[in-house]
Amino acid sequence: MSIPLSILDLAPITTGGTAAGTFAESVELARTAEAFGYSRVWYAEHHNMAGIASSATAVLIGHIAHHTSRIRLGAGGIMLPNHSPLVIAEQFGTLETLFPGRIDLGLGRAPGSDQATFRALRRDPAASDAFPQDVQELQAFLGDTSRIPGVSAYPGRGTNVPLYILGSSLFGARLAAQLGLPYSFASHFAPDALTQAVALYRAEFRPSPQLAEPHVIAGVGVVAAESNAQAQVLMESVRRDRIQLLLGRGRETPFTEDELDMLLESPAGESILHMLAYTAVGTPAAVKEYLEGFAEHAQADELITVHSAPEAADRLMSVRLTAQAMGLAAADGEDAALAARA
């Protein structure tokens, strides 16, 4: 059986595009993922980034859920230092009540923004230090107890929305192991500590009511196309877009092509390109070979794929080709008809 595949949708707003257009594209991507047998689609919390539209993560999840019927949807993740656990329990308890059995809640410790934005969120920089306690407080709010006497989450209490710890370091791996929660490693943009973190998580894992055995989700980029040449052209666009997104923040105009050429060769550019180290690029056969090898390398139980081609049509193509190459089972009914038309 093929390893389960999921998708992290970065909800990109392309140059000249709009948030409304991005939301429509995200609906189409989720519907395609559902039709082609992916396990889940997650959305990440980012703030003050003109190229990403998933800042109101819970709202976006609810919108996508209204336009799909079975696929799991969730946060990959909510940056808990930005929020009180009670508010997140209420938001995701509401989602679980509206869409029972379909909601995931991945939690990260980073602010998901720069320091100025963090201040604009009215949060204390020390909030990250309380992450382990906040995770347990949130878990209690979603269960049948509360760590704050007299305070419960309505909706939220008793929904038991499954929690996932997200991370790119040993800190998150150890916390996920101690709490007996699934661990999702952000190797799609932070590759360096992958094998060490997964080994630590598996070695220190303690069973919990949510999870009897360790479960590792590893992030990996995918650019699948009909030919290797086409895939390489798309991958070059991915590299340039990543430089534009991360080095062009705060600029009124995008970098020119000549400026991008220089930045790609700069130390800052090389550091950003290193973030894409774990990326499958090529034909469906090449992508299948890469993903199977990566899953073994990462000791992963599930892969969460990031299809980063700049245009929505190319991302959908990559999603379809990857599913077919990896032998995912297409859904029945209307979703099967969608898969057949693709």
Side-chain angles (χ1 to χ4, degrees):
M1 180 179 294
S2 177
I3 185 169
L5 293 187
S6 297
I7 293 176
L8 175 64
D9 180 3
L10 297 177
I13 304 176
T14 56
T15 302
T18 65
T22 292
F23 296 147
E25 291 167 357
S26 288
V27 167
E28 186 66 17
L29 189 148
R31 286 178 53 82
T32 301
E34 185 170 71
F36 279 81
Y38 286 83
S39 298
R40 65 186 95 237
V41 182
W42 281 357
Y43 307 88
E45 176 188 352
H46 293 280
H47 298 284
N48 193 32
M49 298 189 75
I52 296 180
S54 54
S55 55
T57 314
V59 179
L60 180 58
I61 292 168
H63 175 67
I64 302 294
H66 272 295
H67 293 278
T68 51
S69 58
R70 286 180 297 280
I71 194 166
R72 296 194 67 88
L73 301 166
I78 289 294
M79 301 298 107
L80 198 52
N82 294 342
H83 312 277
S84 75
L86 175 62
V87 169
I88 297 304
E90 291 168 343
Q91 290 178 359
F92 280 80
T94 298
L95 287 169
E96 175 63 24
T97 302
L98 290 169
F99 309 102
R102 297 183 58 200
I103 302 301
D104 299 329
L105 177 48
L107 301 169
R109 185 169 67 117
S113 59
D114 55 43
Q115 289 303 310
T117 306
F118 195 65
R119 289 194 297 272
L121 289 165
R122 300 295 192 268
R123 304 303 293 168
D124 185 335
S128 294
D129 297 336
F131 182 68
Q133 294 75 27
D134 284 351
V135 171
Q136 293 173 292
E137 185 177 310
L138 173 59
Q139 190 173 39
F141 278 137
L142 293 169
D144 295 317
T145 61
S146 173
R147 288 184 163 234
I148 302 178
V151 179
S152 293
Y154 301 114
R157 183 180 177 92
T159 56
N160 294 300
V161 176
L163 302 185
Y164 298 74
I165 299 298
L166 279 57
S168 58
S169 69
L170 302 188
F171 179 92
R174 180 166 281 117
L175 179 62
Q178 290 173 348
L179 298 181
L181 295 175
Y183 180 52
S184 181
F185 191 89
S187 36
H188 61 287
F189 76 86
D192 291 339
L194 170 62
T195 55
Q196 188 180 3
V198 170
L200 185 150
Y201 168 71
R202 290 192 177 280
E204 297 189 3
F205 180 83
R206 302 173 186 173
S208 70
Q210 179 178 328
L211 194 64
E213 301 288 340
H215 185 85
V216 173
I217 304 174
V220 58
V222 179
V223 180
E226 296 287 358
S227 70
N228 279 317
Q230 183 184 9
Q232 291 298 333
V233 169
L234 292 172
M235 186 61 199
E236 181 60 21
S237 295
V238 170
R239 295 186 183 98
R240 300 173 86 83
D241 276 9
R242 187 63 58 91
I243 296 289
Q244 191 78 255
L245 177 67
L246 297 181
L247 295 184
R249 293 183 67 177
R251 285 176 57 97
E252 293 185 2
T253 59
F255 291 120
T256 66
E257 292 301 310
D258 287 342
E259 288 173 327
L260 286 173
D261 287 337
M262 289 188 291
L263 288 170
L264 284 165
E265 302 296 328
S266 71
E270 290 177 0
S271 177
I272 290 172
L273 295 183
H274 177 65
M275 297 166 64
L276 302 172
Y278 289 127
T279 303
V281 183
T283 63
V287 165
K288 179 177 187 293
E289 181 179 6
Y290 184 95
L291 293 182
E292 290 177 342
F294 173 75
E296 183 175 355
H297 169 72
Q299 292 297 291
D301 302 293
E302 178 180 342
L303 299 182
I304 188 157
T305 57
V306 183
H307 301 263
S308 298
E311 299 298 326
D314 293 322
R315 293 194 294 274
L316 290 176
M317 174 182 65
S318 185
V319 166
R320 293 192 297 264
L321 293 176
T322 301
Q324 292 165 346
M326 296 296 287
L328 300 188
D332 297 327
E334 292 182 6
D335 289 338
L338 172 61
R341 292 197 301 270

